[in-house]
Amino acid sequence: LPWLTLAVDPVPWARAQMAFTLAAHIILVPLGVSWAFMALIANYRAIKKNDADALLLAQRWSKYMAVTFAVGAVTGTVLSFEFGLLWPNFMAKFGDAFGIPFAIEGLFFFLEAIFIAIYIYGWKRLKPWPHFWTGVPIVLAGIGGTVSVVAANAWMNHPDGFTLNSAGKVIDVDPLEVIFNDAMPLQSLHMLIAAYLVGGFMVASVYAWAMLRGRRDRYHRLGFLIAFTVAAIATPIQMFVGDTLARWVYENEPTKFAAIELVPKTTDDVPETLFGHLNDDGTVSGGIRIPGLASWLSDPGDGTSTVIQGLDSFPEDERPTTRQANTVHLAWDLMVGLGTMLMLLSLWYAGSWLFRRNFPQTKWFLWPAALAGVASVVAMEAGWVVTEVGRQPWIVVDYMKVEDAATGNSGVWATFLVIVALYIGVAVTLVLVLRTMSRRFRAQGEAVELDGPYGPRKPVATSRGVAPDD
């Protein structure tokens, strides 16, 4: 029976578990990278303009940030262990090179954790400006960690910085060449900007939803304004970087590009196919075709005469299958389509701010803004599908295939089911904790907490009596 064969074949289960845990973890990554930056914006405004609402935002955002960081640390740690458990052959052969960026990411992770603790602990124990500066390393560590992890993934697309001896063992590893491989600069920049784009839209969507429900006080408007502005600035930058990266893929990863554009045979004047699908006989059906656009976008200098290599240019066992090519193409369309809609929403916001010095507050704007958080997450997930599935069948391009890297343990299906159950439990708990915090903050309103930021501490009893306020 097909299901019985699947149950004893570890490769699809290992791939499914890795895909699931990565898809779950990556939702928290933008918050871990960008929320500290947005909190610092609010913190800066609070100090500079004596803005009580901004101060309240910064304090509460730092607490939310700590919760999501803790959960992200757990899900990220699971991913790290999975490399050894699910892909032992890959790690045994290439661990000396692949592990270098991850070791550096670990340093950034610990640095971020330390300064998150200092930042939250210092709200009433440090003076305003020294406390503000303790938040800066959080932002820098988030950037460094993102770049390090993506450098490892980029290395899988363009392995460099090592030599294989006659026995196929990795020797003479050059750490700098491993980290700064050819794919690393644009791929890391693309993900880093995505973190600010997605994080901004996710946070802003919460305040947009609150405003739709009638909470239009200055606190909620300021929360929306800071987060959405970060996302709106990141969106056009991301469109430019994404376009540049797509041309880089055309020049350096022709197999992946053929899957992206659904090009079965090498030719010029290739149409841009919106949706549609590739058939097993090499024909493309359905969708909307824009004549010559794919060739023109690949190289505007040559225009529609630009030749795009087709999938048939590569051996069948060294290119994505028909099903994988369709998956890559659909994910590409989703990423670009949702990115374009977010770009239009950002332009609407920018135009309103430019001419009216305020953001639109009608339901026609707030509804799309409330949905922008989910849309941005879907776009980010789709982008990772393009990157990972487009590389198939390789785990390390031209060196090792996925099926050769996977574990031989036929019980992986059981760990997959356990991981799914655990992650669902963690996700539900996270949502409940965040909602509980939100309700508590809302009930508190603008009341000053005893442990409020930059306020005096409560008198502390000592052996000699009561210590004076500081």
Side-chain angles (χ1 to χ4, degrees):
L1 295 175
W3 68 267
L4 185 59
T5 303
L6 183 64
V8 297
D9 182 1
V11 177
W13 288 102
R15 295 178 66 179
Q17 182 172 327
M18 196 76 186
F20 173 78
T21 49
L22 177 60
H25 173 69
I26 203 173
I27 297 174
L28 297 170
V29 169
L31 295 176
V33 175
S34 66
W35 215 342
F37 177 73
M38 292 184 283
L40 283 183
I41 293 175
N43 199 165
Y44 178 86
R45 181 182 179 86
I47 299 172
K48 199 72 174 176
K49 297 182 179 295
N50 196 27
D51 189 330
D53 289 322
L55 186 60
L56 199 59
L57 268 175
Q59 187 192 28
R60 291 176 177 178
W61 279 356
S62 69
K63 294 177 180 178
Y64 287 131
M65 178 180 68
V67 174
T68 57
F69 177 83
V71 177
V74 173
T75 55
T77 302
V78 170
L79 276 169
S80 299
F81 280 111
E82 283 179 339
F83 281 113
L85 294 173
L86 301 179
W87 314 104
N89 299 328
F90 163 62
M91 294 303 294
K93 184 169 184 176
F94 293 105
D96 288 349
F98 180 75
I100 292 172
F102 269 101
I104 295 174
E105 190 275 338
L107 299 177
F108 282 118
F109 167 78
F110 286 117
L111 182 68
E112 187 175 6
I114 290 168
F115 277 95
I116 284 177
I118 293 172
Y119 186 73
I120 294 175
Y121 186 78
W123 270 117
K124 73 165 196 172
R125 293 169 176 83
L126 294 172
K127 293 181 179 179
W129 282 116
H131 173 257
F132 170 86
W133 289 110
T134 64
V136 173
I138 304 174
V139 177
L140 298 178
I143 293 172
T146 300
V147 172
S148 300
V149 169
V150 180
N153 182 268
W155 180 88
M156 297 164 76
N157 294 325
H158 278 265
D160 202 357
F162 66 94
T163 303
L164 289 180
N165 63 15
S166 58
K169 181 176 176 60
V170 171
I171 58 174
D172 298 330
V173 177
D174 186 327
L176 291 180
E177 287 189 11
V178 169
I179 296 169
F180 297 100
N181 58 80
D182 290 344
M184 176 265 187
L186 282 174
Q187 194 173 322
S188 295
L189 184 61
H190 192 51
M191 181 59 209
L192 183 60
I193 297 172
Y196 283 87
L197 184 155
V198 176
F201 279 128
M202 286 177 72
V203 175
S205 66
V206 174
Y207 291 90
W209 176 247
M211 293 173 70
L212 284 168
R213 298 184 68 181
R215 294 195 285 273
R216 296 183 176 238
D217 53 273
R218 187 175 179 277
Y219 171 84
H220 286 87
R221 286 187 285 110
L222 185 60
F224 177 86
L225 180 67
I226 293 173
F228 201 92
T229 299
V230 169
I233 292 173
T235 302
I237 300 174
Q238 183 72 318
M239 298 293 281
F240 173 77
V241 172
D243 180 68
T244 305
L245 179 57
R247 290 198 179 95
W248 188 91
V249 171
Y250 161 72
E251 295 174 356
N252 297 275
E253 299 181 0
T255 314
K256 182 184 294 185
F257 195 80
I260 287 172
E261 296 292 357
L262 283 190
V263 184
K265 300 181 183 300
T266 301
T267 184
D268 61 358
D269 197 19
V270 178
E272 184 70 34
T273 304
L274 306 179
F275 299 102
H277 63 276
L278 180 67
N279 302 310
D280 290 332
D281 61 2
T283 60
V284 178
S285 303
I288 302 171
R289 301 187 187 185
I290 306 174
L293 184 59
S295 287
W296 186 87
L297 289 173
S298 301
D299 187 351
D302 290 338
T304 57
S305 63
T306 302
V307 175
I308 298 179
Q309 285 185 271
L311 289 167
D312 67 346
S313 300
F314 311 95
E316 189 172 353
D317 64 341
E318 296 182 7
R319 71 188 190 213
T321 64
T322 299
R323 182 178 180 181
Q324 289 168 343
N326 285 325
T327 300
V328 171
H329 177 68
L330 176 60
W332 173 265
D333 284 348
L334 278 175
M335 179 183 69
V336 175
L338 290 172
T340 301
M341 287 189 282
L342 292 172
M343 177 70 176
L344 294 174
L345 187 64
S346 299
L347 290 175
W348 184 358
Y349 173 86
S352 177
W353 189 264
L354 180 64
F355 294 106
R356 297 174 52 197
R357 304 303 297 172
N358 201 355
F359 65 88
Q361 297 183 40
T362 66
K363 64 178 181 179
W364 302 108
F365 175 80
L366 291 176
W367 268 112
L371 296 173
V374 173
S376 63
V377 170
V378 173
M380 178 180 61
E381 298 274 16
W384 273 104
V385 170
V386 172
T387 299
E388 299 302 290
V389 181
R391 188 176 61 237
Q392 300 304 309
W394 303 102
I395 190 169
V396 181
V397 173
D398 294 334
Y399 284 95
M400 178 177 279
K401 292 182 178 179
V402 171
E403 60 186 16
D404 298 323
T407 177
N409 189 338
S410 60
V412 174
W413 64 271
T415 66
F416 172 72
L417 297 179
V418 170
I419 286 291
V420 169
L422 287 174
Y423 270 51
I424 290 174
V426 170
V428 170
T429 302
L430 174 61
V431 171
L432 291 176
V433 168
L434 293 177
R435 285 180 60 85
T436 300
M437 293 173 67
S438 177
R439 282 196 296 267
R440 190 185 72 220
F441 289 149
R442 197 160 57 245
Q444 175 190 320
E446 298 181 1
V448 177
E449 301 178 50
L450 290 176
D451 61 345
Y454 311 140
R457 295 188 228 175
K458 291 173 61 179
V460 180
T462 68
S463 59
R464 295 184 179 181
V466 178
D469 289 346
D470 57 356

